[in-house]
Each structure stands twice: as C-alpha cells, then as structure tokens.
Amino acid sequence: MLALTRDLGLNPDELVATFRDPPDTDDDDEDSDNLPSSASDVPLSRPGCLYLLCATIASNVFFHAPSTIPQLSIFPTFSSTISNLLREPSSGTIGTESPSLIDSLLFLGLYMQDVSKSKGELPQDDQLYTSTLQRLALLSANTPHAPLRYHAHLLASQLLHAHPNENVRLSYIKDTLQHCPYENLKASAVGWLKDEILASTKPLPTKSNSKPESEPSIFATPACIETLAPHLFPKPSHLSYETFVAHQPFFLAVLNFYYFLLMSDALRETLGAAVMRESGDWLADMEAQILDSEKAIEDGGLELQLLHQAVAMCRDKKMAVTSSR
C-alpha cells in the first residue's frame, strides 16, 4: 500500500484532505456533462485514502519506516472524518459498515488521542464534541466484532474523561443513561461514572508549599448520585420477563457500582450513603421482580440467577453498613 501511495504521487496531506473535507455535492451529479474526461478528473476514494494514511502511520509507528506524518487532531480532523464516513446516528445503522473501515477509523482516532501531539485538544463547540462521542459510543454498541467494540469503547472513554468541564461529562453520562436504547451502552455509562469518581477522589501528592484546595469535583460529592439516581435505579416492576432479562447488562453494572461504593472505606460515608438514600427500595423491588420472573420459567434462568446473587450481595452489605452506624 505504501508503494501504491508513492506510485500515485499522493502525499499524506492530500490523503487527509480527501476523507476529512465534506464531499462535493457536484460529485454526486450524474449528468453526463460532469463525467470525468481523464484519469486525473476521477475523485479519490475517501475510504481508500483513509486506508493509505493508516498504512503510512502504522509503518512509521511500528516499523520506523521513513514517512511524513501530517499534523493531525481529534477535532476537527477525526470528528469530520467519522462524520463523513459513518452513517448518521439517527439511522440506527452505525456499526454495520465494513470492519476494515471501522478498524481504520478507530486506529486513526487512537493514534491521534494517544500518540500525536493533539492529545487533549477539544472543540469549543459542545455539540461537535457530543456528536463525536455519540458516534463512537454507537460503534461500541452495534459493531458485531468484539475487538472493534472494545476499541470504540476505549476511545469514547478517553475522549469523555479528557474534557476539562466536569458538568459536560456528567451531562453526557446522564443523557446516555436517560435516552440510550442500548443496555450495554448504558452499562458503559455506569462504568464511566465509576471512573470519574475514582479519578476525582484519588489522593494527590502533598507539597510543602501547596495552595489551598479548590472546590471538590462534583463526582466526589453526593450531587452526582442525586442527579443520576432516577436513571440509575429505575423501577423494575413494570418490565416483562423478556425486557427485564434484556436489561441485565445495565442492572449488573449498577449493582457492581452500588457494591463498590459500599465496600470503599473512602467513599462509603459520602457517595455510599447517597446511593443507599437515593436508591430507596430499589434492591427490594429488584429481588421481588427476580422472584416473580423465576416463577414464570422452570429453571430460573442463568441471567436471573446472576442478578439474584448480585442483589443479595448488595442487600447484605447494605444491612452490614446500616447496622454498624
């Protein structure tokens, strides 16, 4: 592929411009007057240019091949690229594109985020930021290939946690929990919340001439639990058995998060107490729904057994914490 790039006389900047810039509407005109009259008039393939650039970057990073890597940034280079090459989020078909295209997009995004000097750059426009995150999150939920799902989730997580405004991060997590139709993606949002809490409560090294501490992060206070509680602890009683089982990835993620806060010595009296308060009778409602669902089938179902064990662990830990006060 590198030899092909050289033979065609394509430089990396030209490759980037081809898949980054919006397509020319005149290119879609099938009027015979606009048909190319020579080879130089034929527009370059945007996916093809992406493949050639990724091959150039890979050869340079992994094999130290001499090549010129253009200056790249997540915003707007990567955000424009996935907007051009992936379908619209509203179509519900993101993730059904060819595996090679998705793989190349994720490779380019991870390279920009982790290797290039553009790491940490974010757009001024929050809409561009959230739309980019949304496309990556949908990739992590929809593509049938497990490695691609993982890398899409990894890149989305890195971009989310890189935003300097914690209110934007909390708002995106809330929006995912409230509106996302994919249970595995809602489970990822619970994981994002856990990561934010861990990062905000991590003790900082002390310095002799340190300045007074600033306001604590919202993720280190009960406010984040209070904001997300209606979407973390939905009432399960109105769900049918099939729907209840379909929600298993999300419910297990929430139960894991619940248990984590009660087990942590540093978080138990703040966020753990907030979870117990805001969840109310949610554990009891979950257990009742599980028992009702188990009666509807003969073997109880492996999914329900796992949920029942997780609920029992959280219930017992909650009782232990309450009795120790």
Side-chain angles (χ1 to χ4, degrees), residues 122 126 129 160-174 193 196-197 199-201 214-221 223-224 227-228:
L122 294 167
D126 286 342
Y129 173 77
L160 175 66
H161 300 317
H163 201 289
N165 189 329
E166 61 183 19
N167 290 321
V168 172
R169 303 198 301 271
L170 180 63
S171 176
Y172 185 79
I173 292 173
K174 178 182 177 182
L193 174 61
E196 289 289 349
I197 289 174
S200 64
T201 56
S214 58
E215 289 291 326
S217 166
I218 191 174
F219 291 103
T221 68
C224 70
T227 300
L228 301 176

Side-chain angles (χ1 to χ4, degrees), residues 220 222 261-277 320-322 324-325:
L261 292 181
L262 295 187
M263 285 293 295
S264 172
D265 294 334
L267 302 175
R268 185 182 303 120
E269 298 302 321
T270 53
L271 300 182
V275 160
M276 290 192 295
R277 180 179 66 253
V321 170
T322 303
S324 64
R325 290 182 170 181

Side-chain angles (χ1 to χ4, degrees), residues 289-302:
Q289 180 68 12
I290 291 171
L291 292 174
D292 289 343
S293 299
E294 285 177 337
K295 294 177 183 178
I297 53 178
E298 294 181 358
D299 58 358
L302 178 59

Side-chain angles (χ1 to χ4, degrees), residues 1-45:
M1 294 183 73
L2 298 180
L4 176 62
T5 304
R6 290 192 297 268
D7 292 344
L8 294 176
L10 299 174
N11 63 69
D13 288 322
E14 184 179 2
L15 297 176
V16 173
T18 301
F19 59 72
R20 178 198 59 203
D21 298 339
D24 189 348
T25 55
D26 293 338
D27 292 343
D28 298 330
D29 193 345
E30 297 183 358
D31 194 320
S32 59
D33 294 338
N34 293 326
L35 293 177
S37 57
S38 65
S40 60
D41 295 332
V42 178
L44 295 173
S45 164

Side-chain angles (χ1 to χ4, degrees), residues 13-166:
D13 288 322
E14 184 179 2
L15 297 176
V16 173
T18 301
F19 59 72
R20 178 198 59 203
D21 298 339
D24 189 348
T25 55
D26 293 338
D27 292 343
D28 298 330
D29 193 345
E30 297 183 358
D31 194 320
S32 59
D33 294 338
N34 293 326
L35 293 177
S37 57
S38 65
S40 60
D41 295 332
V42 178
L44 295 173
S45 164
R46 285 184 291 164
C49 288
L50 174 66
Y51 300 151
L52 291 176
L53 181 69
C54 288
T56 301
I57 294 174
S59 67
N60 178 268
V61 172
F62 299 128
F63 306 111
H64 307 288
S67 56
T68 302
I69 306 299
Q71 185 174 1
L72 302 169
S73 61
I74 291 289
F75 302 98
T77 305
F78 180 70
S79 57
S80 298
T81 300
I82 62 171
S83 176
N84 292 336
L85 296 180
L86 293 182
R87 300 180 178 93
E88 287 296 320
S90 58
S91 69
T93 56
I94 282 186
T96 60
E97 295 86 355
S98 70
S100 58
L101 176 62
I102 296 174
D103 185 44
S104 298
L105 285 170
L106 295 175
F107 171 82
L108 185 64
L110 288 168
Y111 170 78
M112 292 180 185
Q113 179 67 9
D114 295 330
V115 180
S116 74
K117 295 180 181 179
S118 67
K119 184 175 182 180
E121 292 182 0
L122 294 167
Q124 298 296 324
D125 182 9
D126 286 342
Q127 181 59 38
L128 177 60
Y129 173 77
T130 54
S131 65
T132 303
L133 269 181
Q134 185 181 31
R135 283 183 166 88
L136 288 171
L138 288 173
L139 273 182
S140 72
N142 288 346
T143 183
H145 303 278
L148 298 182
R149 287 199 304 272
Y150 169 74
H151 286 108
H153 169 75
L154 178 64
L155 182 54
S157 300
Q158 290 180 355
L159 289 182
L160 175 66
H161 300 317
H163 201 289
N165 189 329
E166 61 183 19

